[in-house]
Amino acid sequence: MQQYYIGVMSGTSLDGVDLALVDFSHQPALVVATKFMAMPEKIKQKLTALITEPQITLSQLGEADHLVGHLYADCINQFLAEQQLSANDIVALGCHGQTIWHAPQGDYPFTMQIGDMNIVAINTGIQTIGDFRRKDMALGGQGAPLVPAFHQAYFARPDRVVAVLNIGGISNVSLLIPEQAVLGYDLGPGNTLLDQWIAKYQGKSYDKGGEWAKTGQVYQPLLQDLLSEPFFQQPPPKSTGREQFNLIWLEKFLAKHTALLPQDIQATLVALTVQSIVQDLQKIETTLPCELLVCGGGAYNPLLMQGLQQGLAHWQVATTASYGLAEDYVEAVAFAWLAYQRIQQKTSNLPSVTGAKSAVSLGVIF
């Protein structure tokens, strides 16, 4: 008998909502269906303002929380209708929420995901698991990344090193090294700076196929300055987001490098994403074969994929599709898995990844 769970993810790129229907009566779990629903422009603008503007009102925050809750519920209900399923067919759903701020360092560490899960639960009629990050942070962890535990369950192999690289708005990696504790952490900007830069100069939400970046030249002095950002040298556990890597951050560096063409800056930002990944993975010392599995939107950017292949010549570079998991939906499937772990009262964080004091079952049941 099926054990259907739904995973819901909307990332830092603000492009939309990913949904995955997963059957946990199979081992490994069977991905039954997936769907992407674009973020309505009105909501995207509100979220961008929350993330980027220095001052916002409590009214703005509360209204966005409400709107995003209804957005998730509407997406889930449409997904169910298309799959000819009802709420009664689903054991639970795991919804990450929309991150608007993530600050694991400092005197008062916190993370904030919005999208009222009460609205999601009431409007779908499905037991909803949300607020996945804050228990880990209460235990002294970073609250991120959360998907390495899922990656370990799905991708780990006894005869090779597997690195699962998600290039979403932010790049993050899970290192699955046989007989070693799993490591997982953020590497830096994935697509977020690329998306923000092309939006500013061409009014497009992203650089499809890296076509615009292909018309530019990498400017090495700017690249080296960008790579001097202390985050890139910081040891794990570490996590970051758009609150750090944004156009305000970039323009601090551009003030020193005037007269560059916009497309040269775009090409340099591609190189930044590649180099921040390559320089980290090159530190791994092993005699085992090494495999890099890429997922997220960056898997569709040939410039990024070529850069990774060239920079990691001794690695086999592929996408998660080679393991039967579509590149766009790994994180949505992961949040279905996190919901499953919560309902089963099984642990779902990895202290070796987040720095938490103990392993616990993450998520609040609504």
Side-chain angles (χ1 to χ4, degrees):
M1 184 176 175
Q2 294 98 342
Q3 292 185 56
Y4 283 163
Y5 286 73
I6 291 175
V8 184
M9 177 70 193
S10 59
T12 51
S13 61
L14 304 179
D15 57 346
V17 180
D18 295 323
L19 301 107
L21 175 66
V22 186
D23 183 359
F24 285 94
S25 66
H26 295 259
Q27 290 300 328
L30 176 67
V31 180
V32 178
T34 56
K35 184 176 179 63
F36 170 78
M37 300 186 75
M39 183 78 71
E41 192 58 35
K42 173 185 173 185
I43 297 179
K44 185 173 184 177
Q45 289 174 2
K46 285 182 178 290
L47 293 173
T48 301
L50 289 181
I51 293 166
T52 60
E53 290 182 8
Q55 290 187 325
I56 60 162
T57 66
L58 290 176
S59 177
Q60 285 175 287
L61 180 62
E63 288 175 7
D65 186 45
H66 180 97
L67 282 170
V68 174
H70 277 288
L71 171 67
Y72 291 144
D74 292 346
C75 291
I76 293 160
N77 287 333
Q78 186 175 329
F79 187 43
L80 285 174
E82 290 173 2
Q83 298 302 317
Q84 298 182 314
L85 295 170
S86 72
N88 292 333
D89 296 314
I90 311 300
V91 178
L93 66 89
C95 185
H96 172 264
Q98 181 63 55
T99 297
I100 57 168
W101 207 262
H102 183 70
Q105 310 293 347
D107 293 336
Y108 307 102
F110 76 98
T111 189
M112 185 176 291
Q113 287 75 41
I114 63 170
D116 187 344
M117 296 300 148
N118 296 286
I119 290 174
V120 177
I122 294 298
N123 285 274
T124 62
I126 300 171
Q127 185 169 224
T128 297
I129 321 296
D131 194 4
F132 284 98
R133 298 190 183 274
R134 293 196 294 177
K135 185 186 288 186
D136 185 89
M137 293 186 76
L139 286 162
Q142 294 261 323
L146 295 185
V147 292
F150 166 70
H151 290 159
Q152 180 185 38
Y154 204 94
F155 295 111
R157 298 293 183 271
D159 60 345
R160 73 192 77 170
V161 173
V162 179
V164 184
L165 172 68
N166 174 56
I167 308 179
I170 299 296
S171 294
N172 55 68
V173 69
S174 300
L175 298 180
L176 311 175
I177 303 174
E179 298 181 19
Q180 291 188 28
V182 175
L183 288 177
Y185 48 94
D186 289 349
L187 294 161
N191 297 314
T192 185
L193 292 174
L194 300 172
D195 294 349
Q196 292 176 62
W197 189 251
I198 197 170
K200 179 175 179 177
Y201 277 91
Q202 296 207 330
K204 296 178 181 178
S205 57
Y206 70 106
D207 186 10
K208 187 175 182 179
E211 292 299 324
W212 190 43
K214 288 177 186 175
T215 67
Q217 298 290 322
V218 175
Y219 187 60
Q220 287 294 333
L222 173 60
L223 175 61
Q224 295 311 310
D225 273 357
L226 296 172
L227 285 167
S228 71
E229 169 64 42
F231 179 84
F232 296 122
Q233 283 73 49
Q234 185 182 328
K238 60 178 181 176
S239 52
T240 190
R242 276 178 60 145
E243 67 282 346
Q244 175 166 5
F245 291 108
N246 51 47
L247 293 186
I248 296 170
W249 176 83
L250 175 61
E251 282 159 2
K252 286 189 305 185
F253 295 94
L254 295 182
K256 296 166 57 181
H257 301 282
T258 56
L260 288 178
L261 294 172
Q263 59 267 37
D264 290 342
I265 294 169
Q266 186 78 356
T268 304
L269 291 175
V270 171
L272 173 66
T273 294
V274 170
Q275 286 305 311
S276 61
I277 296 163
V278 166
Q279 69 183 17
D280 208 277
L281 294 182
Q282 284 177 335
K283 297 173 185 174
I284 297 172
E285 297 180 3
T286 181
T287 57
L288 294 171
C290 295
E291 186 171 19
L292 177 64
L293 300 176
V294 185
C295 58
Y300 299 102
N301 186 323
L303 278 183
L304 289 176
M305 294 299 288
Q306 289 164 16
L308 292 171
Q309 186 67 78
Q310 290 165 3
L312 298 166
H314 67 291
W315 286 66
Q316 180 183 341
V317 178
T319 72
T320 54
S322 64
Y323 278 60
L325 206 51
E327 298 90 344
D328 283 339
Y329 295 102
V330 174
E331 287 199 316
V333 175
F335 279 91
W337 180 83
L338 284 162
Y340 172 79
Q341 294 292 101
R342 182 68 184 88
I343 294 299
Q344 298 292 319
Q345 298 184 345
K346 296 179 179 178
T347 60
S348 51
N349 67 331
L350 292 171
S352 63
V353 169
T354 66
K357 295 183 182 74
S358 61
V360 289
S361 189
L362 299 175
V364 176
I365 299 174
F366 295 81

